[in-house]
Amino acid sequence: DNTYAIALENADKALESKEPLGPAKARNKAVEIAQGEVFVFLDADTILSENFVENAVKAIQINSNVVGTCKAIPDPKTFSTILYYGFNDIMHMLKIYKGFVDGVIFCSKDLFLKVGGFDPEKKVGEFKDFMQRAKKFNVKYQYLGNCWATTSARRVVEKGLFGAVWFWVWWKLTSSFKKKDKF
């Protein structure tokens, strides 16, 4: 899909792989060459608000033991996608559910290394898995309500509202009982 060429046009560095890595392995590989102290991980189909990085850095400067996300805006905006993402945002804002993120998380380099990075066996749910493992280090969860990320709502569009909810419920149930998820 020409991702590498697009990345080269818009970044100081880009990684090219001869084989598909999957999101978890690709993110871990990027960390190997990253030079910053704050890491922001986002899906390829996610666009951040202009104030996101500044606010993520501020949150980590206050407490380096932070992992967080921000408000999600679905693309496309339909009744189903707005309902689905709106519910997720309320859950994050109230800190009821920490981990089912939509397209972006941030943390310090030190925390990322302590947690051990993303599980390279994960094909889906790597953000949730990372945040769950980070809990062992008494992290503070941070929801940046004044920032947003526009992210693909393709699962809701493809599967419908109830199909998308069932997909994540099924993933949570099956991954809770297995070391390796089969997705």
PDB file of all heavy atoms in Angstrom, residues 82-108:
ATOM      1  N   ILE A  82     -20.171   6.494  15.962  1.00  0.00           N
ATOM      2  CA  ILE A  82     -20.183   7.533  17.004  1.00  0.00           C
ATOM      3  C   ILE A  82     -20.630   6.931  18.333  1.00  0.00           C
ATOM      4  O   ILE A  82     -20.053   7.214  19.389  1.00  0.00           O
ATOM      5  CB  ILE A  82     -21.073   8.724  16.585  1.00  0.00           C
ATOM      6  CG1 ILE A  82     -20.404   9.481  15.427  1.00  0.00           C
ATOM      7  CG2 ILE A  82     -21.332   9.659  17.760  1.00  0.00           C
ATOM      8  CD1 ILE A  82     -21.283  10.497  14.744  1.00  0.00           C
ATOM      9  N   LEU A  83     -21.629   6.076  18.299  1.00  0.00           N
ATOM     10  CA  LEU A  83     -22.101   5.409  19.512  1.00  0.00           C
ATOM     11  C   LEU A  83     -21.012   4.520  20.107  1.00  0.00           C
ATOM     12  O   LEU A  83     -20.721   4.581  21.304  1.00  0.00           O
ATOM     13  CB  LEU A  83     -23.356   4.581  19.187  1.00  0.00           C
ATOM     14  CG  LEU A  83     -24.074   3.918  20.348  1.00  0.00           C
ATOM     15  CD1 LEU A  83     -24.607   4.963  21.331  1.00  0.00           C
ATOM     16  CD2 LEU A  83     -25.219   3.064  19.826  1.00  0.00           C
ATOM     17  N   TYR A  84     -20.378   3.710  19.276  1.00  0.00           N
ATOM     18  CA  TYR A  84     -19.331   2.782  19.706  1.00  0.00           C
ATOM     19  C   TYR A  84     -18.153   3.540  20.322  1.00  0.00           C
ATOM     20  O   TYR A  84     -17.718   3.239  21.440  1.00  0.00           O
ATOM     21  CB  TYR A  84     -18.876   1.970  18.491  1.00  0.00           C
ATOM     22  CG  TYR A  84     -17.811   0.945  18.747  1.00  0.00           C
ATOM     23  CD1 TYR A  84     -18.132  -0.328  19.186  1.00  0.00           C
ATOM     24  CD2 TYR A  84     -16.473   1.236  18.525  1.00  0.00           C
ATOM     25  CE1 TYR A  84     -17.157  -1.289  19.399  1.00  0.00           C
ATOM     26  CE2 TYR A  84     -15.485   0.287  18.738  1.00  0.00           C
ATOM     27  CZ  TYR A  84     -15.833  -0.967  19.171  1.00  0.00           C
ATOM     28  OH  TYR A  84     -14.860  -1.900  19.386  1.00  0.00           O
ATOM     29  N   TYR A  85     -17.624   4.523  19.616  1.00  0.00           N
ATOM     30  CA  TYR A  85     -16.464   5.264  20.107  1.00  0.00           C
ATOM     31  C   TYR A  85     -16.832   6.191  21.261  1.00  0.00           C
ATOM     32  O   TYR A  85     -16.029   6.415  22.170  1.00  0.00           O
ATOM     33  CB  TYR A  85     -15.782   6.029  18.970  1.00  0.00           C
ATOM     34  CG  TYR A  85     -14.969   5.112  18.099  1.00  0.00           C
ATOM     35  CD1 TYR A  85     -15.558   4.381  17.068  1.00  0.00           C
ATOM     36  CD2 TYR A  85     -13.610   4.942  18.317  1.00  0.00           C
ATOM     37  CE1 TYR A  85     -14.820   3.514  16.281  1.00  0.00           C
ATOM     38  CE2 TYR A  85     -12.865   4.076  17.539  1.00  0.00           C
ATOM     39  CZ  TYR A  85     -13.479   3.362  16.529  1.00  0.00           C
ATOM     40  OH  TYR A  85     -12.744   2.501  15.762  1.00  0.00           O
ATOM     41  N   GLY A  86     -18.039   6.724  21.247  1.00  0.00           N
ATOM     42  CA  GLY A  86     -18.488   7.563  22.356  1.00  0.00           C
ATOM     43  C   GLY A  86     -18.544   6.775  23.652  1.00  0.00           C
ATOM     44  O   GLY A  86     -18.125   7.252  24.712  1.00  0.00           O
ATOM     45  N   PHE A  87     -19.050   5.535  23.581  1.00  0.00           N
ATOM     46  CA  PHE A  87     -19.086   4.672  24.762  1.00  0.00           C
ATOM     47  C   PHE A  87     -17.670   4.402  25.269  1.00  0.00           C
ATOM     48  O   PHE A  87     -17.408   4.486  26.475  1.00  0.00           O
ATOM     49  CB  PHE A  87     -19.804   3.359  24.433  1.00  0.00           C
ATOM     50  CG  PHE A  87     -19.882   2.416  25.596  1.00  0.00           C
ATOM     51  CD1 PHE A  87     -20.771   2.638  26.629  1.00  0.00           C
ATOM     52  CD2 PHE A  87     -19.042   1.308  25.661  1.00  0.00           C
ATOM     53  CE1 PHE A  87     -20.843   1.775  27.719  1.00  0.00           C
ATOM     54  CE2 PHE A  87     -19.101   0.435  26.742  1.00  0.00           C
ATOM     55  CZ  PHE A  87     -20.002   0.674  27.767  1.00  0.00           C
ATOM     56  N   ASN A  88     -16.751   4.092  24.355  1.00  0.00           N
ATOM     57  CA  ASN A  88     -15.358   3.860  24.755  1.00  0.00           C
ATOM     58  C   ASN A  88     -14.765   5.085  25.440  1.00  0.00           C
ATOM     59  O   ASN A  88     -14.072   4.973  26.452  1.00  0.00           O
ATOM     60  CB  ASN A  88     -14.492   3.501  23.544  1.00  0.00           C
ATOM     61  CG  ASN A  88     -14.682   2.084  23.092  1.00  0.00           C
ATOM     62  OD1 ASN A  88     -15.223   1.258  23.817  1.00  0.00           O
ATOM     63  ND2 ASN A  88     -14.253   1.789  21.888  1.00  0.00           N
ATOM     64  N   ASP A  89     -15.035   6.261  24.876  1.00  0.00           N
ATOM     65  CA  ASP A  89     -14.493   7.494  25.463  1.00  0.00           C
ATOM     66  C   ASP A  89     -15.029   7.728  26.870  1.00  0.00           C
ATOM     67  O   ASP A  89     -14.290   8.139  27.764  1.00  0.00           O
ATOM     68  CB  ASP A  89     -14.785   8.694  24.566  1.00  0.00           C
ATOM     69  CG  ASP A  89     -13.893   8.733  23.346  1.00  0.00           C
ATOM     70  OD1 ASP A  89     -12.763   8.211  23.408  1.00  0.00           O
ATOM     71  OD2 ASP A  89     -14.321   9.281  22.315  1.00  0.00           O
ATOM     72  N   ILE A  90     -16.300   7.462  27.079  1.00  0.00           N
ATOM     73  CA  ILE A  90     -16.880   7.617  28.424  1.00  0.00           C
ATOM     74  C   ILE A  90     -16.205   6.645  29.393  1.00  0.00           C
ATOM     75  O   ILE A  90     -15.856   7.016  30.516  1.00  0.00           O
ATOM     76  CB  ILE A  90     -18.410   7.415  28.391  1.00  0.00           C
ATOM     77  CG1 ILE A  90     -19.064   8.598  27.676  1.00  0.00           C
ATOM     78  CG2 ILE A  90     -18.973   7.261  29.803  1.00  0.00           C
ATOM     79  CD1 ILE A  90     -20.528   8.395  27.326  1.00  0.00           C
ATOM     80  N   MET A  91     -16.003   5.412  28.948  1.00  0.00           N
ATOM     81  CA  MET A  91     -15.337   4.418  29.800  1.00  0.00           C
ATOM     82  C   MET A  91     -13.918   4.873  30.167  1.00  0.00           C
ATOM     83  O   MET A  91     -13.474   4.688  31.304  1.00  0.00           O
ATOM     84  CB  MET A  91     -15.292   3.059  29.102  1.00  0.00           C
ATOM     85  CG  MET A  91     -16.664   2.483  28.812  1.00  0.00           C
ATOM     86  SD  MET A  91     -17.536   1.998  30.292  1.00  0.00           S
ATOM     87  CE  MET A  91     -16.830   0.384  30.527  1.00  0.00           C
ATOM     88  N   HIS A  92     -13.194   5.452  29.203  1.00  0.00           N
ATOM     89  CA  HIS A  92     -11.837   5.950  29.477  1.00  0.00           C
ATOM     90  C   HIS A  92     -11.880   7.162  30.399  1.00  0.00           C
ATOM     91  O   HIS A  92     -11.104   7.250  31.353  1.00  0.00           O
ATOM     92  CB  HIS A  92     -11.129   6.345  28.175  1.00  0.00           C
ATOM     93  CG  HIS A  92     -10.670   5.188  27.373  1.00  0.00           C
ATOM     94  ND1 HIS A  92      -9.713   4.311  27.809  1.00  0.00           N
ATOM     95  CD2 HIS A  92     -11.031   4.756  26.137  1.00  0.00           C
ATOM     96  CE1 HIS A  92      -9.504   3.386  26.891  1.00  0.00           C
ATOM     97  NE2 HIS A  92     -10.303   3.635  25.869  1.00  0.00           N
ATOM     98  N   MET A  93     -12.757   8.096  30.091  1.00  0.00           N
ATOM     99  CA  MET A  93     -12.845   9.328  30.865  1.00  0.00           C
ATOM    100  C   MET A  93     -13.134   9.030  32.338  1.00  0.00           C
ATOM    101  O   MET A  93     -12.551   9.633  33.232  1.00  0.00           O
ATOM    102  CB  MET A  93     -13.951  10.210  30.276  1.00  0.00           C
ATOM    103  CG  MET A  93     -13.947  11.619  30.762  1.00  0.00           C
ATOM    104  SD  MET A  93     -15.173  12.686  29.939  1.00  0.00           S
ATOM    105  CE  MET A  93     -16.156  11.630  28.943  1.00  0.00           C
ATOM    106  N   LEU A  94     -14.019   8.077  32.583  1.00  0.00           N
ATOM    107  CA  LEU A  94     -14.368   7.711  33.950  1.00  0.00           C
ATOM    108  C   LEU A  94     -13.379   6.707  34.558  1.00  0.00           C
ATOM    109  O   LEU A  94     -13.532   6.293  35.697  1.00  0.00           O
ATOM    110  CB  LEU A  94     -15.786   7.135  33.988  1.00  0.00           C
ATOM    111  CG  LEU A  94     -16.897   8.098  33.551  1.00  0.00           C
ATOM    112  CD1 LEU A  94     -18.239   7.378  33.512  1.00  0.00           C
ATOM    113  CD2 LEU A  94     -16.939   9.315  34.455  1.00  0.00           C
ATOM    114  N   LYS A  95     -12.393   6.308  33.767  1.00  0.00           N
ATOM    115  CA  LYS A  95     -11.358   5.359  34.176  1.00  0.00           C
ATOM    116  C   LYS A  95     -11.956   4.028  34.626  1.00  0.00           C
ATOM    117  O   LYS A  95     -11.419   3.351  35.504  1.00  0.00           O
ATOM    118  CB  LYS A  95     -10.448   5.961  35.239  1.00  0.00           C
ATOM    119  CG  LYS A  95      -9.703   7.172  34.732  1.00  0.00           C
ATOM    120  CD  LYS A  95      -8.744   7.731  35.728  1.00  0.00           C
ATOM    121  CE  LYS A  95      -8.068   8.941  35.089  1.00  0.00           C
ATOM    122  NZ  LYS A  95      -7.105   9.548  35.941  1.00  0.00           N
ATOM    123  N   ILE A  96     -13.051   3.652  33.976  1.00  0.00           N
ATOM    124  CA  ILE A  96     -13.687   2.366  34.245  1.00  0.00           C
ATOM    125  C   ILE A  96     -12.938   1.272  33.510  1.00  0.00           C
ATOM    126  O   ILE A  96     -12.722   0.194  34.035  1.00  0.00           O
ATOM    127  CB  ILE A  96     -15.174   2.392  33.812  1.00  0.00           C
ATOM    128  CG1 ILE A  96     -15.947   3.367  34.702  1.00  0.00           C
ATOM    129  CG2 ILE A  96     -15.793   0.993  33.842  1.00  0.00           C
ATOM    130  CD1 ILE A  96     -17.340   3.664  34.223  1.00  0.00           C
ATOM    131  N   TYR A  97     -12.539   1.575  32.307  1.00  0.00           N
ATOM    132  CA  TYR A  97     -11.865   0.567  31.494  1.00  0.00           C
ATOM    133  C   TYR A  97     -10.590   1.174  30.938  1.00  0.00           C
ATOM    134  O   TYR A  97     -10.641   2.089  30.129  1.00  0.00           O
ATOM    135  CB  TYR A  97     -12.774   0.100  30.362  1.00  0.00           C
ATOM    136  CG  TYR A  97     -12.241  -1.122  29.670  1.00  0.00           C
ATOM    137  CD1 TYR A  97     -12.150  -2.334  30.336  1.00  0.00           C
ATOM    138  CD2 TYR A  97     -11.803  -1.066  28.368  1.00  0.00           C
ATOM    139  CE1 TYR A  97     -11.662  -3.454  29.718  1.00  0.00           C
ATOM    140  CE2 TYR A  97     -11.310  -2.183  27.736  1.00  0.00           C
ATOM    141  CZ  TYR A  97     -11.244  -3.374  28.410  1.00  0.00           C
ATOM    142  OH  TYR A  97     -10.738  -4.481  27.798  1.00  0.00           O
ATOM    143  N   LYS A  98      -9.476   0.680  31.379  1.00  0.00           N
ATOM    144  CA  LYS A  98      -8.186   1.212  30.979  1.00  0.00           C
ATOM    145  C   LYS A  98      -7.495   0.208  30.075  1.00  0.00           C
ATOM    146  O   LYS A  98      -6.954  -0.761  30.547  1.00  0.00           O
ATOM    147  CB  LYS A  98      -7.326   1.484  32.207  1.00  0.00           C
ATOM    148  CG  LYS A  98      -7.992   2.356  33.232  1.00  0.00           C
ATOM    149  CD  LYS A  98      -7.246   2.309  34.542  1.00  0.00           C
ATOM    150  CE  LYS A  98      -8.045   2.987  35.615  1.00  0.00           C
ATOM    151  NZ  LYS A  98      -7.464   2.828  36.919  1.00  0.00           N
ATOM    152  N   GLY A  99      -7.542   0.452  28.801  1.00  0.00           N
ATOM    153  CA  GLY A  99      -6.819  -0.457  27.939  1.00  0.00           C
ATOM    154  C   GLY A  99      -7.438  -0.703  26.586  1.00  0.00           C
ATOM    155  O   GLY A  99      -6.738  -1.003  25.643  1.00  0.00           O
ATOM    156  N   PHE A 100      -8.733  -0.595  26.472  1.00  0.00           N
ATOM    157  CA  PHE A 100      -9.345  -0.807  25.163  1.00  0.00           C
ATOM    158  C   PHE A 100      -9.221   0.491  24.391  1.00  0.00           C
ATOM    159  O   PHE A 100     -10.145   1.287  24.328  1.00  0.00           O
ATOM    160  CB  PHE A 100     -10.806  -1.232  25.315  1.00  0.00           C
ATOM    161  CG  PHE A 100     -11.429  -1.609  24.011  1.00  0.00           C
ATOM    162  CD1 PHE A 100     -10.993  -2.729  23.331  1.00  0.00           C
ATOM    163  CD2 PHE A 100     -12.441  -0.858  23.470  1.00  0.00           C
ATOM    164  CE1 PHE A 100     -11.560  -3.085  22.122  1.00  0.00           C
ATOM    165  CE2 PHE A 100     -13.018  -1.206  22.272  1.00  0.00           C
ATOM    166  CZ  PHE A 100     -12.578  -2.319  21.591  1.00  0.00           C
ATOM    167  N   VAL A 101      -8.045   0.740  23.887  1.00  0.00           N
ATOM    168  CA  VAL A 101      -7.753   2.013  23.251  1.00  0.00           C
ATOM    169  C   VAL A 101      -8.027   1.940  21.760  1.00  0.00           C
ATOM    170  O   VAL A 101      -8.029   0.885  21.162  1.00  0.00           O
ATOM    171  CB  VAL A 101      -6.299   2.457  23.508  1.00  0.00           C
ATOM    172  CG1 VAL A 101      -6.067   2.648  24.982  1.00  0.00           C
ATOM    173  CG2 VAL A 101      -5.301   1.472  22.945  1.00  0.00           C
ATOM    174  N   ASP A 102      -8.256   3.090  21.206  1.00  0.00           N
ATOM    175  CA  ASP A 102      -8.597   3.179  19.793  1.00  0.00           C
ATOM    176  C   ASP A 102      -7.533   3.956  19.035  1.00  0.00           C
ATOM    177  O   ASP A 102      -7.637   5.150  18.852  1.00  0.00           O
ATOM    178  CB  ASP A 102      -9.964   3.844  19.641  1.00  0.00           C
ATOM    179  CG  ASP A 102     -11.052   3.037  20.299  1.00  0.00           C
ATOM    180  OD1 ASP A 102     -11.197   1.870  19.923  1.00  0.00           O
ATOM    181  OD2 ASP A 102     -11.721   3.564  21.187  1.00  0.00           O
ATOM    182  N   GLY A 103      -6.493   3.253  18.638  1.00  0.00           N
ATOM    183  CA  GLY A 103      -5.530   3.836  17.728  1.00  0.00           C
ATOM    184  C   GLY A 103      -4.277   4.460  18.292  1.00  0.00           C
ATOM    185  O   GLY A 103      -3.337   4.667  17.551  1.00  0.00           O
ATOM    186  N   VAL A 104      -4.211   4.770  19.601  1.00  0.00           N
ATOM    187  CA  VAL A 104      -3.020   5.449  20.113  1.00  0.00           C
ATOM    188  C   VAL A 104      -2.818   5.206  21.613  1.00  0.00           C
ATOM    189  O   VAL A 104      -3.776   5.183  22.371  1.00  0.00           O
ATOM    190  CB  VAL A 104      -3.089   6.979  19.830  1.00  0.00           C
ATOM    191  CG1 VAL A 104      -4.271   7.618  20.508  1.00  0.00           C
ATOM    192  CG2 VAL A 104      -1.811   7.688  20.230  1.00  0.00           C
ATOM    193  N   ILE A 105      -1.561   4.988  21.990  1.00  0.00           N
ATOM    194  CA  ILE A 105      -1.166   5.036  23.397  1.00  0.00           C
ATOM    195  C   ILE A 105       0.172   5.772  23.488  1.00  0.00           C
ATOM    196  O   ILE A 105       0.909   5.881  22.514  1.00  0.00           O
ATOM    197  CB  ILE A 105      -1.052   3.653  24.082  1.00  0.00           C
ATOM    198  CG1 ILE A 105       0.071   2.818  23.489  1.00  0.00           C
ATOM    199  CG2 ILE A 105      -2.365   2.922  24.070  1.00  0.00           C
ATOM    200  CD1 ILE A 105       0.378   1.563  24.315  1.00  0.00           C
ATOM    201  N   PHE A 106       0.468   6.257  24.688  1.00  0.00           N
ATOM    202  CA  PHE A 106       1.759   6.897  24.929  1.00  0.00           C
ATOM    203  C   PHE A 106       2.301   6.438  26.270  1.00  0.00           C
ATOM    204  O   PHE A 106       1.549   6.038  27.158  1.00  0.00           O
ATOM    205  CB  PHE A 106       1.645   8.428  24.880  1.00  0.00           C
ATOM    206  CG  PHE A 106       0.825   9.021  25.998  1.00  0.00           C
ATOM    207  CD1 PHE A 106       1.431   9.436  27.178  1.00  0.00           C
ATOM    208  CD2 PHE A 106      -0.546   9.179  25.863  1.00  0.00           C
ATOM    209  CE1 PHE A 106       0.677   9.978  28.206  1.00  0.00           C
ATOM    210  CE2 PHE A 106      -1.307   9.731  26.881  1.00  0.00           C
ATOM    211  CZ  PHE A 106      -0.696  10.133  28.053  1.00  0.00           C
ATOM    212  N   CYS A 107       3.634   6.472  26.385  1.00  0.00           N
ATOM    213  CA  CYS A 107       4.303   6.125  27.637  1.00  0.00           C
ATOM    214  C   CYS A 107       5.746   6.615  27.553  1.00  0.00           C
ATOM    215  O   CYS A 107       6.221   7.019  26.494  1.00  0.00           O
ATOM    216  CB  CYS A 107       4.267   4.618  27.896  1.00  0.00           C
ATOM    217  SG  CYS A 107       5.195   3.628  26.713  1.00  0.00           S
ATOM    218  N   SER A 108       6.437   6.544  28.675  1.00  0.00           N
ATOM    219  CA  SER A 108       7.864   6.895  28.681  1.00  0.00           C
ATOM    220  C   SER A 108       8.668   5.715  28.148  1.00  0.00           C
ATOM    221  O   SER A 108       8.224   4.564  28.191  1.00  0.00           O
ATOM    222  CB  SER A 108       8.328   7.243  30.102  1.00  0.00           C
ATOM    223  OG  SER A 108       8.340   6.080  30.908  1.00  0.00           O
TER     224      SER A 108
END
